[in-house]
Amino acid sequence: MSPYGLTPSCTASRHKLENSNQPDTPTDRFLAHTLAVAELYVSLAEAGRTDVLTLIGFHGEPACWWRDSEGEWIKPDASAVVSAGDIEDSWVIEVDNATESLPTLRRKLAVYVGLAKNEEHGPDGGPLPRVLVTVPDERRLAAVRELVRSLPEPAGELFAVTIHGTTVEVISKALHE
């Protein structure tokens, strides 16, 4: 074989890639979700340039993921640390575009309730942050708020649910309470 040829393992890998069922481009659903998370970051960063709050840190997935005490991955869509004066607050964020069923969302939110009940840590071993769920419209807002009300305590204290685009107001209000 020529020194410039592919080895048998490279040829096999190339064949697998060329014949895989994975799409070449991201789906519209994936792009919409990614853009919603990016818009959330932009909104917080813009608010950080005013007196509303200071954005100390923001991580999208997978950088915001962490393992619980049993080694299971907790996978929010994003995490943010913000402050106002001497008050600092941490959030994990679930961006819901109404593409998942409510039972699927319930299972995901129940994980956070379980973490709180078991006094689990949050990212970097710190306290478990509050969970902000953002939704696309009033209809989904009502449905997700009802879902949160149906979860066991401390769901009422743990979750905040709001419409995309009002995240800064919700986080800022929580900082000033």
Side-chain angles (χ1 to χ4, degrees):
M1 172 183 262
S2 127
Y4 304 106
L6 294 175
T7 65
S9 63
C10 286
T11 303
S13 295
R14 182 174 161 206
H15 179 73
K16 275 185 183 178
L17 285 173
E18 289 173 349
N19 295 306
S20 75
N21 290 331
Q22 299 209 359
D24 294 332
T25 57
T27 64
D28 289 345
R29 184 173 162 179
F30 174 82
L31 289 173
H33 187 264
T34 301
L35 289 172
V37 173
E39 178 59 33
L40 173 67
Y41 168 73
V42 169
S43 296
L44 289 169
E46 287 175 343
R49 294 188 180 122
T50 68
D51 292 334
V52 174
L53 56 81
T54 300
L55 179 60
I56 296 170
F58 184 93
H59 297 285
E61 44 187 339
C64 62
W65 298 352
W66 79 95
R67 289 184 188 268
D68 67 12
S69 63
E70 295 183 10
E72 296 295 320
W73 281 104
I74 309 304
K75 298 180 174 183
D77 295 322
S79 65
V81 179
V82 296
S83 69
D86 294 338
I87 310 240
E88 187 174 291
D89 206 359
S90 297
W91 294 83
V92 292
I93 302 153
E94 294 292 344
V95 175
D96 174 56
N97 283 336
T99 55
E100 300 288 344
S101 70
L102 288 173
T104 297
L105 183 59
R106 178 184 180 82
R107 284 190 297 275
K108 185 156 194 162
L109 299 184
V111 168
Y112 293 110
V113 172
L115 292 171
K117 281 186 166 188
N118 294 328
E119 299 179 358
E120 287 278 352
H121 60 83
D124 302 322
L128 185 67
R130 287 191 66 196
V131 180
L132 179 65
V133 182
T134 70
V135 299
D137 54 42
E138 292 288 339
R139 182 172 174 215
R140 187 67 167 190
L141 179 68
V144 174
R145 283 185 172 163
E146 184 60 34
L147 185 154
V148 167
R149 279 192 290 277
S150 74
L151 292 169
E153 286 302 322
E157 295 174 19
L158 183 61
F159 297 105
V161 184
T162 192
I163 294 177
H164 303 326
T166 61
T167 304
V168 170
E169 291 84 1
V170 170
I171 289 176
S172 179
K173 182 179 176 188
L175 271 172
H176 295 95
E177 287 180 342

